[in-house]
Amino acid sequence: MSFADIGGRDRDWHPVQRVWGISIVLLILILSIGGVGISALYSAAGGAMDPWASRHAIRLGVGVVGMLLLAMIDLRYWFRLAYVIYGLGICGLIAVAVIGEMGGGAQRWLQIGPLQIQPSEFMKVALILALARYYHTLTIEEVKRWRNLLVPAVLIGMPVALVLKQPDLGTSIMITAAGGAMIFLSGVQMWKFGLGAALATVAVPIAWSQLHDYQKQRVLTFINPEADPLGAGYHITQSKIALGSGGVSGKGFLQGTQSHLNFLPEKQTDFIFTLWAEEWGLMGGL
């Protein structure tokens, strides 16, 4: 079925009907995950909404309203604007490289008035839209041809290269994973993914030589945190202690010792799951 056929069948569907067409299960899952975040941030602040939980709740509310508004837009408009949105994302990443704000040793943000924007986060969605439009124009037979992997490779490679320059290894991996998932869903054969994994393994020494020192240290610490338990491995060691101390059922809400006695670093951001697992245990973590 072509996109025109879908659009023709959908032409008389009122925007409000689109909102009612949203999966209630999806909405409940989003609100539930957001609620867990609010609860965890409330605990991280020692039983207070400020400074983290209240802001998270506001962002959640704005995000849900934004989701509903975006759902009212005809799918055909997203199809037409997919490449434009992708291009804006690339422009944002280039702007970061030229005039971006420095912070924490990285150049990842754009300051626009009172707002601080991170284009690499926007790029995750833009890439999905662009790949969805590209693969929509191909038949399943065309998807399986080697030459039709070139465009997706370029669409993924450009933002990944720009994000690595910031440097932001974690986000570049997420963008690559999102692109890989879209290629998989398009119907590309599994053996091609296996070949790609084999080539990536062969390229590991080259990639390692291109990493920054702090990135190499993160990888080594991840492999063996006990090598420097009071230095580079301190954070992950404390997080493992917190996870273990939670046991099966947890210590109880607001009762986590590692987090509330400040042994757990960055408990409101990087180690928020560890805080949750200590209080709610293995069952709550699952």
Side-chain angles (χ1 to χ4, degrees):
M1 181 180 291
S2 69
F3 188 82
D5 294 333
I6 297 174
R9 186 180 63 181
D10 194 45
R11 188 172 292 116
D12 298 325
W13 197 14
H14 194 274
V16 175
Q17 290 179 297
R18 297 177 189 278
V19 174
W20 287 114
I22 292 176
S23 168
I24 189 66
V25 174
L26 174 63
L27 187 58
I28 290 173
L29 285 174
I30 292 172
L31 293 174
S32 298
I33 293 171
V36 167
I38 294 171
S39 174
L41 290 171
Y42 178 86
S43 177
M49 288 297 290
D50 290 324
W52 303 305
S54 57
R55 285 185 287 181
H56 180 70
I58 292 171
R59 292 186 186 116
L60 176 63
V62 172
V64 170
V65 171
M67 179 187 73
L68 296 177
L69 291 175
L70 291 175
M72 296 174 68
I73 299 175
D74 195 305
L75 186 62
R76 290 170 294 177
Y77 291 112
W78 293 119
F79 180 82
R80 294 167 187 157
L81 292 173
Y83 291 147
V84 175
I85 294 171
Y86 177 87
L88 291 174
I90 293 294
C91 290
L93 292 177
I94 294 173
V96 167
V98 177
I99 59 172
E101 294 286 324
M102 290 292 296
Q107 190 171 343
R108 302 174 185 171
W109 297 272
L110 287 177
Q111 192 70 40
I112 302 176
L115 299 177
Q116 196 175 54
I117 299 173
Q118 189 172 356
S120 58
E121 294 296 322
F122 172 80
M123 196 67 231
K124 296 174 185 177
V125 178
L127 175 64
I128 291 172
L129 284 173
L131 288 173
R133 171 161 182 173
Y134 174 75
Y135 277 115
H136 185 82
T137 62
L138 303 180
T139 64
I140 189 63
E141 291 77 17
E142 291 172 329
V143 166
K144 295 177 180 179
R145 294 173 186 164
W146 279 103
R147 69 170 182 268
N148 290 322
L149 284 174
L150 179 60
V151 172
V154 172
L155 290 174
I156 297 169
M158 285 196 298
V160 167
L162 289 168
V163 171
L164 282 174
K165 291 286 289 183
Q166 294 180 0
D168 190 349
L169 179 62
T171 301
S172 66
I173 292 174
M174 290 296 296
I175 292 174
T176 303
M182 290 297 294
I183 294 174
F184 172 76
L185 292 173
S186 73
V188 173
Q189 303 99 313
M190 283 300 299
W191 68 266
K192 291 182 180 177
F193 284 93
L195 178 60
L199 292 174
T201 302
V202 173
V204 165
I206 300 174
W208 178 263
S209 67
Q210 299 300 311
L211 292 178
H212 294 263
D213 289 339
Y214 84 93
Q215 293 171 333
K216 293 179 180 180
Q217 185 61 56
R218 284 186 179 181
V219 174
L220 294 173
T221 300
F222 175 77
I223 295 173
N224 185 20
E226 288 77 15
D228 188 9
L230 298 179
Y234 177 80
H235 290 185
I236 193 169
T237 300
Q238 293 301 318
S239 69
K240 289 168 68 176
I241 293 172
L243 285 169
S245 65
V248 176
S249 58
K251 293 183 174 181
F253 187 49
L254 300 177
Q255 301 302 313
T257 52
Q258 287 293 108
S259 55
H260 293 293
L261 294 177
N262 293 323
F263 286 102
L264 191 63
E266 302 299 334
K267 58 189 176 183
Q268 79 280 7
T269 52
D270 293 357
F271 291 92
I272 191 69
F273 174 75
T274 309
L275 175 146
W276 177 266
E278 184 184 22
E279 295 187 353
W280 298 94
L282 175 64
M283 299 307 297
L286 293 174

